Amino acid sequence: MMTSNRPYLMRAIFEWIIDNGLTPHVLIDAEVPEVQVPRQYVDEGRIILNISPSAVQNFSIDNQWLSFNARFGGKPFEIFAPIHAIRAVYAAENSEGMMFEPMPESEVEPPTEPDPDPEPPKPSSRPSLRVVK
């Protein structure tokens, strides 16, 4: 079974929006259990967030999670949403982007917790070289 193409499409659409000088927004299904967003901004079970580089810090879309830090009402907040909770990535100015259908429960992989401070790989104690002719 292949992995979901959703995170790859999300990263491509995000980059395309930025390259065109527009403001990327994301629509998240806030009712998915693992979603961590400021609940006071949730409307009808959904939240729309500005994910432009000027609005967020530590932005990441990996194959399981969308995560970043942002300020809401002047207070810092860590946003975490599993990829299957993302319903759209689009430009705020013209609504160009991509909508995503809810994933069937059978295709949803339980996400592993994101590592907030991944440690850099440790170099092996002894480098190894080989001669290539």
Side-chain angles (χ1 to χ4, degrees):
M1 183 171 144
M2 292 181 68
T3 59
S4 171
N5 64 2
R6 187 176 295 202
Y8 299 92
L9 295 171
M10 288 174 54
R11 287 188 289 265
I13 297 297
F14 172 80
E15 188 173 318
W16 172 67
I17 292 167
I18 295 295
D19 286 352
N20 281 281
L22 301 175
T23 310
H25 280 190
V26 64
L27 172 64
I28 299 173
D29 179 348
E31 294 181 355
V32 171
E34 299 93 355
V35 169
Q36 181 179 320
V37 295
R39 294 288 162 185
Q40 65 269 33
Y41 298 99
V42 172
D43 184 27
E44 295 182 11
R46 304 177 309 173
I47 188 168
I48 297 172
L49 301 170
N50 176 348
I51 56 172
S52 68
S54 63
V56 301
Q57 295 178 334
N58 302 321
F59 182 80
S60 174
I61 302 173
D62 66 25
N63 288 350
Q64 294 186 321
W65 291 93
L66 165 71
S67 63
F68 59 90
N69 297 330
R71 297 184 81 75
F72 295 87
K75 296 180 181 164
F77 200 91
E78 291 182 328
I79 303 295
F80 292 103
I83 293 300
H84 65 270
I86 307 304
R87 296 293 173 256
V89 177
Y90 63 94
E93 292 83 356
N94 61 13
S95 298
E96 290 286 324
M98 184 172 280
M99 298 283 296
F100 300 101
E101 294 293 323
M103 293 174 71
E105 198 65 36
S106 62
E107 291 181 26
V108 173
E109 290 183 41
T112 57
E113 288 296 317
D115 189 357
D117 293 319
E119 290 186 27
K122 294 179 182 169
S124 62
S125 59
R126 192 172 152 199
S128 63
L129 298 173
R130 63 185 177 131
V131 177
V132 179
K133 294 185 180 185

